Amino acid sequence: MNPLIKRVARRGGLLVAAGLLAGAASSASAAYPERAVTLVVTYPPGGTVDVVARLIGPKLAAELGQPVVIENRGGAGGMIGGAVVAKAQPDGYTLMLDASNHAQNPALHSKMQFDTLTAFAPVSLLLRVPNVLVVTPTYEVKTVADLIKLGQPGAKDHVYFASAGPGSAQHLAGELFNLLAKTQLQHVAYKGGGPAMIDVMSGQVPVMFASMGSAWQHVKNGKLRAVAVGGLERSKTAPDLPTIAESGVPGYETYEWNAVFAPAGTPPDIAARLSDEIVKVMSRPDVQESVRNAGFIPKAMGAKELAALHRADYSRMEKVVKEAGITAE
């Protein structure tokens, strides 16, 4: 056979093969999902992220027409579960529900098994969890101004704040307060948010920048006193409670968020379908009521908005970690 004809025939065969593969992929996407979808939760059972997963899982399953299996892969601030999903097949059958540590971890850990900005395809933001500044009920701090006054550099007595551990959301929230309010609150790290909050309730450590979702029940029971919320807007859960920003620390904003990601390379139409279905679930009045009752703010967003939020938080927390000299290693 003429060499030119051979080359043309070979190219033609490759084009046909590529067309067949593209057609098969398109057909698979159109039929999605054909089996159960696994939602990897990057934190242990019982925590905020797990509660959210079990709230939306059955409702998302109803929309997709297939079971949604919750699989907890907790540990290392979400990085163990993240590594599992980063290596999973990008076919829409393995998803990840993670918290805002997803954006903070790169600034805290020099060695990670994946790049949070490139290893995942953003799918949908679910909600935000505002932080709340709480104190031991008998502590003398009643306002943000009181805390700033007591926490001044060179003060006779140190003011201590508790957190779930080095590099945790509570730790970063306290260090951001130090940077913006020009205070020197001293960090006390615990092995988990639960033990930290117990010691704040008992007065062992007087201050905590806690998640409203975990602290609010204790506030209502009188075991903690809320001073201000960390968002830029007042919380609908506690509309009379001022924000830290309006109380003398302009620009202060801290919150945690929960969002769904897929492995990078997931077909765009599958990611879009998932995003649409999740936003639909999060927009249901009964889901929104459950979310608000837990102290969270329902905030469903699509992939583009989640990607922008992720990058903004990544840059913001990188700056806080660098200026405060924080390390989790």
Side-chain angles (χ1 to χ4, degrees):
M1 183 183 289
N2 185 297
L4 177 60
I5 295 175
K6 276 188 176 181
R7 286 199 297 272
V8 171
R10 188 179 299 113
R11 287 178 183 173
L14 290 172
L15 289 172
V16 169
L20 289 172
L21 288 172
S26 177
S27 176
S29 296
Y32 175 86
E34 297 181 292
R35 53 187 170 84
V37 174
T38 297
L39 181 60
V40 175
V41 178
T42 59
Y43 290 85
T48 298
V49 183
D50 181 64
V51 169
V52 172
R54 295 180 193 282
L55 171 65
I56 70 164
K59 297 173 176 62
L60 179 59
E63 296 294 341
L64 293 174
Q66 292 288 349
V68 172
V69 179
I70 309 297
E71 183 179 317
N72 294 88
R73 300 294 291 265
M79 291 189 291
I80 291 176
V84 170
V85 177
K87 297 172 185 175
Q89 286 294 319
D91 54 11
Y93 289 99
T94 304
L95 307 175
M96 175 177 73
L97 177 52
D98 204 354
S100 43
N101 272 24
H102 187 70
Q104 301 163 7
N105 281 332
L108 296 164
H109 302 273
S110 58
K111 297 178 181 179
M112 291 182 62
Q113 296 183 47
F114 54 85
D115 184 331
T116 62
L117 292 176
T118 61
F120 305 95
V123 175
S124 181
L125 179 73
L126 305 180
L127 51 83
R128 286 184 174 181
V129 186
N131 280 343
V132 58
L133 169 58
V134 294
V135 298
T136 306
T138 56
Y139 192 50
E140 60 189 290
V141 167
K142 302 290 194 301
T143 66
V144 171
D146 290 340
L147 184 59
I148 293 174
K149 183 178 179 180
L150 288 175
Q152 286 299 301
K156 181 180 178 181
D157 297 313
H158 288 309
V159 176
Y160 295 92
F161 74 96
S163 88
S168 63
Q170 301 96 337
H171 183 192
L172 295 180
E175 295 296 353
L176 179 62
F177 186 91
N178 275 337
L179 290 173
L180 296 180
K182 295 179 172 55
T183 52
Q184 283 189 354
L185 309 184
Q186 302 296 306
H187 176 229
V188 180
Y190 285 79
K191 293 182 178 180
M197 195 167 294
I198 288 171
D199 269 12
V200 176
M201 287 189 281
S202 68
Q204 296 298 313
V205 178
V207 177
M208 187 173 182
F209 296 83
S211 159
M212 183 170 274
S214 58
W216 199 245
Q217 189 62 40
H218 300 304
V219 172
K220 291 194 293 185
N221 291 339
K223 295 180 179 179
L224 292 171
R225 187 172 70 247
V227 176
V229 293
L232 289 180
E233 299 178 356
R234 294 191 178 200
S235 169
K236 291 183 179 179
T237 304
D240 294 331
L241 199 62
T243 68
I244 293 175
E246 73 180 84
S247 301
V249 191
Y252 186 92
E253 182 184 20
T254 58
Y255 51 81
E256 298 172 42
W257 46 256
N258 290 177
V260 175
F261 295 84
T266 298
D269 53 343
I270 288 180
R273 165 87 189 280
L274 287 165
S275 180
D276 290 345
E277 300 295 3
I278 291 170
V279 169
K280 187 189 299 183
V281 167
M282 292 303 301
S283 299
R284 289 175 46 163
D286 60 325
V287 173
Q288 296 216 346
E289 182 179 4
S290 296
V291 167
R292 288 197 178 95
N293 287 342
F296 310 147
I297 301 172
K299 197 77 175 179
M301 289 183 181
K304 288 183 179 179
E305 293 88 349
L306 173 56
L309 172 69
H310 182 204
R311 287 185 176 277
D313 268 14
Y314 181 100
S315 299
R316 186 165 65 102
M317 287 304 151
E318 186 177 44
K319 181 179 179 182
V320 172
V321 168
K322 184 177 180 180
E323 291 187 13
I326 301 170
T327 178
E329 297 176 335

